Amino acid sequence: MAIRTLTKPLLYFLLIGLSLLFLMPVYVMLVTSLKPLDQVTLSEMWKLPGTIDVSSYVTAFERLAPNLMNSFYLVIPATLLSALLGSLNGYVLSKWRFKGSDTLFTLILFGMFIPYQSILIPLIQFLREIGLYNTIPGLIFVHVVYGIPITTLMFRNFYASIPDEMIESAKIDGAGFLRIFRHIMIPLSITGFVVVAIWQFTNIWNEFLFAVTITTSDQQPIMVALQNLSGSQIVQWNVQMAGALLAALPTLLVYIFLGKFFVKGLLAGSVKG
Amino acid sequence: MFFRMEVKMYKGASHKIWSILMVSPFVVFFLLFWALPLGLGVWISLHNWNVSSGNLGFVSLENYKSILTPGTLYYDLFMKGLKNTLYFVVISVPPLVLISLGLALVIDNLPKRFKPIYRTIFFISYSISVTAVSAIFLWLFNGNGGYFNNVLESIGIIREPINWLGEQPYAWLTILITTVWWTIGFNMMLFINALDEVDVALYEAADLDGAGAFSKFISVTWPQIRNVAFFIIIMTVIASFNLYGQTKLITGGGPEQSTNSLIMNIQTSVFGMNQLGIGSAMAIIMGLIMMVIIVFQYWLSYRNKE
């Protein structure tokens, strides 16, 4: 007990120090983005701005606005499609089992671990053939493809917790595949949809490798365009940081407001299954 | 009409037909988007395929041979990338798993009011993209007057500024610190949730037995969180294997290509040298190596359970 009373304050102290250290980059980002360019120096990067100046946000927004829209055009359809297809797959794999459905499920799990680089090159080739290379729809396509194994897995585990008797009695009442899906599965898996949607939204929003290999200049989502923001000769760090914060804002807000809910749901859906 | 049709479907053997019918779009989807690209990738890798001049014919295993024959350009490219990536996996997985576990253990023991605050603090960085993370760490680690150099100089640890991005081992250290900062929150969250599930009664029983903190962890906590821990280790290994954004954006593969990751080199062979066939073969070999490592890890965790 004596050791406990001694180590506890020490641990808390350490934790507070660590979290301050951890937040430091975010702090530097924030204060730098609020400074005019002549106040941005490496030696004074941790100082608060003398006056609050939002011009770098205006500049960053003006330059990134088209890419920001690209990101939304990309993320919204890709999230909805991969969630919908994942839920349909999960429904089939948990409630409409057939001979070989377990094998199929194993294949999907396998698919999740196939490094996506080995699929990326043929996918690019395929996108070229069908004329979707360097387009947002092409990128949507890739993200849907890559997202399906994980969304299927998550939905399958959500649906596994819905009792089979419920489905059986609905069948006896004459409801079929789609009616059960629409009137039983979807209403019971709203939480699942929210979790999967958050997961897909943030992953696709932040994704870099696909975006940088499949799109160029005008078609780039914000995360790729961000690296070209800094300017050619003198790096405008204030604009760069403002841009980085703007780009991170949607996912930051999602995690801050829905984070706890999200992680609980994610775990219920994935790890334990 | 549709409804009545469904009722009929359920009678007798047609039930089976119905469920196979319903699952067929999914099978088609899976074949089309996973099996087919993978097959296509293998097919491309067996051809001399140039991005600009197209398919120049079947070469069977020549691409693989030239990647695996010491001395060739592609061998160097692949092996350097593989070596760098494996090095990163080895140095990054232990801190990414152990630090997150440590944090989770401390935060899990906090009073209830403080838990969400700290959880959010350490999770926030995970929601920032690699581009933004790289922009900030590029600046913090700047060799000439960067923040870390300033701090280290002012507290007297170093006299001369360290060339973080242009010298080894500092370049790897920079990538490592950035990666830890960026992704540790996710592992920590998974650990915290696993710890929440541990039955409090088990701890109380251990307290009665007079168990210390360490022996409590070994005998009570660890068996309960082991499955989640294995999941986290596997996911972390995969993530570290896929090293790309950080090295591309922070060190640009330098100094002297020592931080060029395997994905960067595969990209170079496709987009820089136009060798689609070689690039596909490299990607497939990389995939096989990852599969072997993952299967081995699964086998280890399975064996431990027995």
Side-chain angles (χ1 to χ4, degrees):
Chain A
M1 234 33 199
I3 300 167
R4 219 189 153 84
T5 46
L6 240 163
T7 50
K8 265 221 163 149
L10 202 74
L11 267 181
Y12 289 174
F13 189 72
L14 208 73
L15 191 63
I16 290 169
L18 208 61
S19 49
L20 289 179
L21 199 72
F22 206 79
L23 285 176
M24 196 259 312
V26 180
Y27 166 79
V28 173
M29 246 169 129
L30 196 66
V31 293
T32 307
S33 70
L34 291 169
K35 287 176 185 171
L37 187 60
D38 57 359
Q39 279 185 32
V40 179
T41 55
L42 283 169
S43 55
E44 294 187 342
M45 69 193 292
W46 64 91
K47 283 194 182 152
L48 283 168
T51 48
I52 289 197
D53 180 56
V54 293
S55 64
S56 47
Y57 281 92
V58 177
T59 315
F61 186 76
E62 273 169 3
R63 287 194 212 159
L64 290 173
N67 304 101
L68 188 67
M69 288 321 288
N70 282 347
S71 275
F72 280 114
Y73 293 142
L74 161 71
V75 168
I76 295 169
T79 303
L80 292 178
L81 274 174
S82 56
L84 199 69
L85 289 169
S87 73
L88 213 57
N89 291 349
Y91 172 45
V92 169
L93 286 175
S94 60
K95 299 298 175 210
W96 291 80
R97 286 166 185 239
F98 53 95
K99 211 175 167 188
S101 66
D102 283 336
T103 319
L104 205 62
F105 183 64
T106 318
L107 268 176
I108 295 191
L109 285 182
F110 191 72
M112 221 171 74
F113 290 123
I114 293 175
Y116 49 95
Q117 306 79 27
S118 34
I119 294 179
L120 183 64
I121 296 166
L123 265 182
I124 289 175
Q125 200 60 18
F126 182 55
L127 290 177
R128 277 188 215 272
E129 308 259 310
I130 58 173
L132 285 180
Y133 185 70
N134 194 20
T135 62
I136 292 293
L139 203 52
I140 292 173
F141 178 81
V142 173
H143 277 298
V144 171
V145 169
Y146 183 59
I148 280 177
I150 183 82
T151 56
T152 301
L153 175 70
M154 284 159 93
F155 273 112
R156 179 193 171 269
N157 291 336
F158 276 115
Y159 292 149
S161 63
I162 295 174
D164 284 342
E165 293 76 27
M166 215 161 171
I167 311 297
E168 290 307 320
S169 63
K171 279 181 191 168
I172 290 164
D173 290 343
F177 181 89
L178 288 175
R179 269 174 68 96
I180 294 175
F181 186 60
R182 239 187 36 222
H183 297 292
I184 299 179
M185 305 309 272
I186 290 184
L188 285 175
S189 61
I190 296 297
T191 325
F193 270 98
V194 174
V195 171
V196 170
I198 294 173
W199 174 259
Q200 285 297 89
F201 182 91
T202 50
N203 270 357
I204 298 170
W205 185 273
N206 285 339
E207 203 280 329
F208 184 68
L209 178 63
F210 288 154
V212 84
T213 41
I214 290 176
T215 57
T216 53
S217 59
D218 283 0
Q219 303 297 322
Q220 282 174 345
I222 192 164
M223 282 313 164
V224 182
L226 201 59
Q227 55 168 335
N228 308 323
L229 185 66
S230 48
S232 50
Q233 290 299 313
I234 308 154
V235 181
Q236 293 172 299
W237 285 109
N238 53 345
V239 177
Q240 178 76 48
M241 294 302 146
L245 274 174
L246 274 181
L249 205 60
T251 48
L252 268 178
L253 289 178
V254 163
Y255 273 122
I256 289 172
F257 289 111
L258 301 168
K260 191 182 162 190
F261 170 66
F262 163 69
V263 176
K264 284 254 187 264
L266 175 70
L267 276 174
S270 61
V271 182
K272 272 183 273 164
Chain B
M1 187 58 198
F2 185 57
F3 171 73
R4 208 176 288 159
M5 196 175 75
E6 282 178 344
V7 174
K8 237 190 240 163
M9 285 289 199
Y10 283 116
K11 284 177 184 154
S14 55
H15 173 103
K16 212 174 180 179
I17 298 165
W18 180 243
S19 59
I20 287 172
L21 194 75
M22 266 310 161
V23 87
S24 59
F26 166 63
V27 174
V28 170
F29 213 78
F30 182 80
L31 289 176
L32 214 60
F33 294 145
W34 282 96
L36 195 70
L38 201 65
L40 194 64
V42 174
W43 194 69
I44 292 175
S45 76
L46 298 174
H47 288 74
N48 179 6
W49 199 309
N50 194 290
V51 174
S52 45
S53 41
N55 187 355
L56 302 173
F58 182 75
V59 293
S60 83
L61 294 173
E62 279 308 313
N63 288 335
Y64 290 91
K65 231 186 247 171
S66 62
I67 293 167
L68 298 173
T69 308
T72 64
L73 174 67
Y74 303 122
Y75 175 84
D76 288 347
L77 199 62
F78 184 80
M79 286 303 164
K80 257 185 205 155
L82 181 64
K83 207 188 84 194
N84 293 339
T85 304
L86 282 176
Y87 181 75
F88 180 71
V89 171
V90 170
I91 61 166
S92 68
V93 173
L96 284 170
V97 174
L98 293 177
I99 298 175
S100 59
L101 176 60
L103 270 178
L105 284 169
V106 174
I107 290 174
D108 193 55
N109 280 312
L110 289 178
K112 258 215 163 77
R113 314 180 266 157
F114 297 125
K115 264 194 204 178
I117 302 170
Y118 284 102
R119 222 163 31 185
T120 311
I121 288 175
F122 289 104
F123 193 62
I124 253 179
S125 54
Y126 187 70
S127 63
I128 302 173
S129 87
V130 67
T131 329
V133 169
S134 298
I136 173 90
F137 276 85
L138 199 55
W139 201 25
L140 292 173
F141 278 109
N142 195 311
N144 198 357
Y147 182 72
F148 283 109
N149 275 344
N150 278 350
V151 170
L152 292 177
E153 273 179 82
S154 66
I155 54 176
I157 292 181
I158 56 168
R159 294 233 177 92
E160 294 287 305
I162 291 176
N163 188 0
W164 286 99
L165 305 175
E167 254 174 60
Q168 290 293 14
Y170 304 113
W172 274 125
L173 200 59
T174 304
I175 300 292
L176 180 65
I177 292 173
T178 308
T179 308
V180 168
W181 185 81
W182 180 36
T183 60
I184 203 144
F186 186 69
N187 287 353
M188 181 204 70
M189 272 297 198
L190 294 175
F191 272 127
I192 288 179
N193 275 69
L195 290 172
D196 274 348
E197 304 275 309
V198 178
D199 196 349
V200 186
L202 291 174
Y203 286 120
E204 284 161 3
D207 276 335
L208 284 179
D209 291 343
F214 183 72
S215 68
K216 254 198 293 193
F217 175 77
I218 293 294
S219 59
V220 180
T221 316
W222 177 247
Q224 302 280 319
I225 63 166
R226 195 172 56 192
N227 286 346
V228 174
F230 275 118
F231 175 78
I232 290 171
I233 292 170
I234 289 173
M235 295 312 275
T236 310
V237 168
I238 294 175
S240 291
F241 232 101
N242 286 327
L243 175 69
Y244 174 72
Q246 302 97 299
T247 47
K248 172 132 179 125
L249 297 169
I250 295 177
T251 58
E256 286 163 9
Q257 304 178 355
S258 57
T259 57
N260 264 339
S261 72
L262 191 47
I263 295 182
M264 284 169 80
N265 284 353
I266 292 175
Q267 224 186 15
T268 305
S269 66
V270 174
F271 294 94
M273 306 176 177
N274 284 338
Q275 296 296 333
L276 204 58
I278 293 279
S280 297
M282 284 184 182
I284 284 162
I285 302 174
M286 178 183 182
L288 287 175
I289 295 172
M290 282 177 78
M291 294 301 292
V292 168
I293 293 175
I294 292 162
V295 168
F296 178 69
Q297 281 179 311
Y298 262 118
W299 176 78
L300 265 186
S301 68
Y302 182 75
R303 199 193 54 170
N304 280 3
K305 247 183 243 174
E306 292 296 294

